[in-house]
Every structure is written in C-alpha cells, then in structure tokens.
Amino acid sequence: MRETRNGRTRRSVLKRIAGGAAAGTIGVSSSIGFSGPGAADESEDHYHNPTGPIGFGDVTVLRTCDGTYYAYGTETPEDVVPIARSEDLVNWTYIGSAFESQPDWRDDPDAGVWAPTIDRYDGAYRLYYSYSTWGSQNNPGIGLATAETPEGPFEDQGPVFRAEDLSVTNAIDPDFLLVDGTPYMVWGSWYGLYAVELTADGRDFVPGTEFQLAGDMKEGPMILEENGYYYLFYSTGHCCDGYDSTYELEVGRSESFFGPYTNQNGDDLRELNEHHSGVSVLTGTDRFVGPGHNTAIEDDDGDWWMIYHAEATTEYSTRVMMVDRIQWDEDDWPVVGDGGTPSTESPMPVTGRDECDGESGGDGDGDDDTCTDSAQIDGRTVCDVDGDGHYRDVTGDGSVTQSDVVEYFQNLSEWDERADLFDYTDDGRVSQTDVVDLFEYVADR
C-alpha cells in the first residue's frame, strides 16, 4: 500500500510536517532559556527531557536542507513569537523574535500572537499564526507573515481569514498542509476542528470549502501523513494551569484527508464533544504535567518525532519544550514516548545530513536559480534548472517552487504533448504521477 522513495512514503513527502498548532495562551512563560535542560547530559547516544528552551509553548518546527532545525512558539513577554535553532533536534539555542512588533490588523491591545505553524512554500518561509484575545470570541483570526530566511525578520501579510469570514468561531491554532498539491489550513480551538482550502498562493481561503474534522473541547490540530493514513492529533483538557493542567494528546485517523476521522475505538471524532472523550496518545505524569500542542517532524533516518510542550515539570512551573519519538503498533496506531507518557530519557534522533547539493542551505531552498536550458513552448518560457533534460521550471522564473507544481497540474494536457520534456517519471506519459514527482523534487531541494 505504501510506495516509497529514498526511504520515505511518497504520500508523506507531500506533507513535510512543520505543523504544530496550539492553544490560545499568552503570557504563561516568564523567561526564555538559552539552551535546553536536556543538554546537561552531553551524551551522544541519548538525551533527557525536557529539552527546552523554556518559553516555547505551542511549538512548531522546521528543518532546512542543511539539516538545521528551527523552532517557533507562542508569544511571550519577551518576544512576539520566539525562535530557537538546533543541529540535532534536542539541544536548542535561542535566537530572538520572529516579529519586531505585533501585527497591526487587530484593534484589541490585549490580543496576542499564538500558536504559529511554519513552512517553506512557494519560495518563502511562511509563518501562519493565531491573533486573538484570551477568553474572548471577538473575531479572532489566522494571519500570515513571510521571510527570506528562517531566522526572519518576518514581514506581516495580514489576515488569511477571521472567524466571521467563515461563520466558524475561534479561528486560531493553524496547521498548514498540502494535499495533492493543493494548500489547506486546519484549525480550531474548543468549538470544533475544521479545515478549508486555500488559494494557490496560500494567502486567502476558498469560500465554501470549509469542513469539520472533529467536535468540541479540542484544540491545536496537527495532521501527519504516514502508513497510508492521515493522523489527526489534537489537545484536550485544560491548559495553562501549571501543575493543575489536565492537557493531553489524542488522535484519530482517516484514509482520506477529508475524513471521517475515527479513533482506536471506532468513534467518529466529530461526535466527541467532551474533554478526554477520545483515546489518549500522550498523557501527563507526576514529573511532566499537561503535555500538548504538538508538531511532528522526520529525522534523517525516516523516524517521526513529536515536539510538544509540557505545562509544568518538577523543575519548572511553566511551559517547556519536549521531544519524543513516534513509533507504530501492529495496527499502525502511533505510540509516543514511554508507552504514551513523556519519556525521561530517549535515544538521540538521527540528524546532521546536508541535502543542499552544494548550496549554503541557509534559506533551506537549495535552488541554484540557473536556467541550464530553456525553450519556448506555446509562447511560454520553460527552463531546465539542473541539466537533467526535464523542464521542471514550467513558470520560467529560474527556480523550481510550489508555483511550478500548481502550473504543471493546471496544464497536464499541454505537457503531455511534449512527454519527452515533461515526463519526470520516464513512464512514457505525463500524468498525476509526474505532479507528485515534481512536488517531491520541490520538497527535497
């Protein structure tokens, strides 16, 4: 059922998880750590949770092509979205703030920037974020900021949508993903989890395409694609109460992105409307209280790792970053950490591989922006940027990005007339298989 390429599922390549979404929380953390507590062990074979830094609630993570990881979290008193960097997914160095100041499209002085999700899309780093006020339903929204490098600074692009635009309340906690080349936004907090199709440039929503994924008393949705399924992780319980928090992570899955999503008991997640009414995949312990608001990312060995925060630990009464491996049982359900609880000690992720093909890798792009060969086809300039005889740069802008995937998909019949140039899989024809191949090419650069 799984078709693999370079040790990855083809479907999983379509969604490089850098998701992570998070709760409407602000001001919970009082300080930023400059390195993770797990660094104190200094073992090459294993690490200790928490990894840190302190202050990275609702964490989202990105890997650039040179093997560097970047983490982003909910606004703190020190930063409007803090950023940290790591070479091994465990030891983190605090960098600074993604924003120089809060975005200006809200008129509420108490509103905060929460729960970001980060992706490399269409030639830029895109930070989608929640903009809301704690305990308020005053038309919250999800905004977009972009940058040329993962360290920013990020330039705000304004709202993608607000609650009133979709007639769905609490438009916060975004997770951005691509499904067969089409961008979607997943979001929700307490009043249902939803998804909506975005425009090709990812800056707006497509009216009338929203649909429900899960019921009430859930937040921070994150979708991971693996094993032929879409796995929907979400947080449930009460966050932000320190040692009294009851947060935990639950999961459901579907063979289709559009659902329905069911859990291990066969329950349709849309019909579950109470806290802790699903099946837990990660719950707290006396040492690590209230784990939740996760993202997931692959290491260089193809293993998935969950990055999340604990609301409190025996050492800290504040949110702290945690890392645990995701494994799979015989029925392909995820098993996180120490059998469903946060681990104290775990083997190190496999990291450090440079995939930039000689590029600097600082921007995570890997494009050489050189048109090795060009041609004019039906008045359109197309380029071969890597000299392999295939014209993957179908927009003719000198680089291969998500724009080319969209353009290719919209012109399949045109490319089929020149299969010798546009048949990337070399099966003698131009088809959806080549769309997937082109997307994988973009994702791997």
Side-chain angles (χ1 to χ4, degrees), residues 23-98:
T25 54
I26 184 171
V28 177
S29 304
S30 60
S31 62
I32 297 292
F34 282 83
S35 62
D41 190 85
E42 296 183 355
S43 170
E44 295 182 358
D45 300 323
H46 66 272
Y47 68 92
H48 289 172
N49 268 318
T51 59
I54 295 171
F56 277 69
D58 312 335
V59 64
T60 182
V61 175
L62 173 85
R63 182 194 187 277
T64 58
C65 66
D66 65 353
T68 304
Y69 296 90
Y70 289 88
Y72 307 76
T74 274
E75 180 177 342
T76 72
E78 288 81 10
D79 295 293
V80 185
V81 181
I83 305 175
R85 180 178 60 234
S86 175
E87 304 301 324
D88 59 12
L89 202 56
V90 169
N91 297 287
W92 295 90
T93 300
Y94 166 73
I95 294 175
S97 180

Side-chain angles (χ1 to χ4, degrees), residues 3 129-130 246 254 265 288 294 333 395 442:
E3 185 176 3
Y129 61 90
S130 311
T246 62
S254 173
N265 294 334
F288 301 117
N294 68 299
W333 285 104
T395 63
V442 171

Side-chain angles (χ1 to χ4, degrees), residues 139-152:
N139 198 21
I142 292 170
L144 168 65
T146 59
E148 295 182 358
T149 73
E151 297 186 12

